[in-house]
Amino acid sequence: MLQHWRDDAYLAWKTELLRTALRRAGYVDADISKPIRTGPGERRRMDYAIRRIGGRIVLGLHRLRSADVIDLLECPVLHPTLMALFAPLRVLLSRVRALRHDGSAIVNLLDSGPDVLLRTDAALNIGDRIALTEFARAHGLPRIAWAQGNDEPEPIAILRPPTTVLSGISITPPPGGFLQASASGEAAITAAVLGALPAKGRIAELFAGCGSITFALAQRARVAAWEGDPASASALRAAANHAGLPGRIAVTQRDLARQPLQAKELAGFAAVVLDPPAAGAATQVAQIAAAKVPVVVYVSCDPATLGRDARLLSQAGYRLTAATPIDQFLWSARLESVCVFAR
């Protein structure tokens, strides 16, 4: 953690992470905007590791490049509502028989409250189910879901609709579904993407998730959205249909890592917006470059994979027209950014 750095030195270092990645991609004179920084206490999503050691519950995060779990007692970046769940969650987990050794909990702070997905290494018994339901009632959770290992989640209790609003549209994300780490980070990403779009023409959105950017894009043009996770694609489609937007948003479930869109499928789009996972999207970006899409807006959470993928665009004749660093992973080596490439 880097809280000890002066703000000017810290932000300069974060900017240099992006500059270095773009330089390695071939953009040696990148004009990088002033970093946008989210504040402490704003993180609304956390993926906790859980370990039972004797009668004690260790609840926290994995040590870097290790299976060890660091017990978390306080976190200055986490939203206070989520931080307040720590102590009672430890008490709950000590009672859950389905947690024998290891598990995890993903908590998303939705507009309707904290949404919890618990994964354990054994099956729930009736006592566990009652305990989870009581926990949801006691702590204002709209929903608590559970899964054994990597199985599909099942809702244990839904006390009210687990909803959040994305660009004015209400959506019900799946349990553990992806959200941007903070609401202000999401707003900064959306603004940077919208500022890069051409005046007209259809938009292809790849790795759309539940619609963090989709509904904002649909205010500008027709959007063809692709998402690999079936539950996220279904949630996005349901929200678009409920909002009366099926004519503006077409959602397709497709694993773009295994089956990337081909150049011929991207023909005719005025812009491609992609927000891949940390591993990037080298195979997909190669097809985007081959399609010669006029504008490519790349939302990245990892400068290294951004640099690798941007090199493909540089080699295909794309120039970098904008680069915006967005620091929503405070005091870490991670950095969000929005980079715009044009032919």
Side-chain angles (χ1 to χ4, degrees):
M1 297 290 279
L2 304 167
Q3 295 100 314
H4 64 285
W5 271 23
R6 297 192 322 270
D7 276 358
D8 56 349
Y10 167 76
L11 291 174
W13 171 71
K14 281 267 176 156
T15 303
E16 191 59 28
L17 292 177
L18 180 56
R19 191 181 308 280
T20 298
L22 292 171
R23 186 183 302 121
R24 289 174 177 169
Y27 299 105
V28 295
D29 297 316
D31 184 12
I32 298 178
S33 301
K34 182 179 178 180
I36 299 170
R37 187 181 185 185
T38 62
E42 290 192 31
R43 188 175 177 91
R44 62 181 179 181
R45 172 181 171 81
M46 188 66 86
D47 190 343
Y48 305 109
I50 306 167
R51 182 160 295 163
R52 187 187 293 278
I53 302 176
R56 186 168 72 95
I57 294 296
V58 179
L59 175 65
L61 303 174
H62 281 114
R63 190 183 302 276
L64 184 64
R65 301 185 188 92
S66 171
D68 294 343
V69 179
I70 300 173
D71 208 20
L72 197 60
L73 300 178
E74 74 176 291
C75 180
V77 304
L78 195 62
H79 194 285
T81 300
L82 299 189
M83 197 66 231
L85 286 178
F86 255 73
L89 188 56
R90 277 194 176 88
V91 174
L92 168 70
L93 294 170
S94 69
R95 299 168 50 199
V96 173
R97 297 293 185 89
L99 180 66
R100 293 179 178 173
H101 302 289
D102 291 287
S104 67
I106 296 177
V107 186
N108 280 328
L109 183 55
L110 307 181
D111 291 342
S112 59
D115 184 34
V116 176
L117 169 60
L118 175 66
R119 292 186 181 273
T120 64
D121 51 0
L124 296 180
N125 60 31
I126 186 63
D128 292 338
R129 291 175 180 271
I130 292 171
L132 292 178
T133 301
E134 290 176 346
F135 181 84
R137 287 200 180 101
H139 297 284
L141 275 56
R143 173 177 64 188
I144 188 164
W146 164 83
Q148 184 173 351
N150 292 320
D151 291 352
E152 287 297 311
E154 67 166 283
I156 300 301
I158 300 178
L159 304 183
R160 60 183 179 277
T163 58
T164 204
V165 174
L166 302 173
S167 297
I169 303 299
S170 180
I171 185 167
T172 301
F178 173 78
L179 294 177
Q180 290 293 345
S182 65
S184 61
E186 178 186 279
I189 291 167
T190 300
V193 170
L194 293 180
L197 295 179
K200 58 182 180 179
R202 288 192 307 145
I203 300 167
E205 185 191 11
L206 314 185
F207 309 96
C210 295
S212 291
I213 308 173
T214 314
F215 299 110
L217 296 176
Q219 295 170 11
R220 295 287 191 89
R222 293 180 183 274
V223 180
W226 281 268
E227 167 54 37
D229 176 61
S232 295
S234 178
L236 174 54
R237 185 181 298 109
N241 289 343
H242 187 263
L245 296 172
R248 300 286 288 180
I249 300 173
V251 182
T252 303
Q253 190 267 310
R254 179 163 165 175
D255 185 342
L256 298 175
R258 297 184 178 183
Q259 190 184 4
L261 290 172
Q262 299 301 296
K264 62 182 179 181
E265 296 176 275
L266 292 163
F269 285 103
V272 170
V273 177
L274 69 158
D275 185 3
T283 305
Q284 182 60 83
V285 170
Q287 292 298 321
I288 294 170
K292 300 180 180 180
V293 179
V295 175
V296 179
V297 186
Y298 194 127
V299 182
S300 167
C301 64
D302 187 287
T305 55
L306 167 68
R308 179 201 65 200
D309 294 354
R311 187 167 188 81
L312 298 172
L313 296 172
S314 175
Q315 292 170 344
Y318 282 83
R319 58 193 173 87
L320 179 72
T321 62
T324 305
I326 300 168
D327 184 22
Q328 65 169 343
F329 305 113
L330 293 183
W331 304 312
S332 78
R334 293 187 64 190
L335 179 68
E336 197 89 26
S337 63
V338 178
C339 293
V340 185
F341 304 89
R343 286 186 60 83

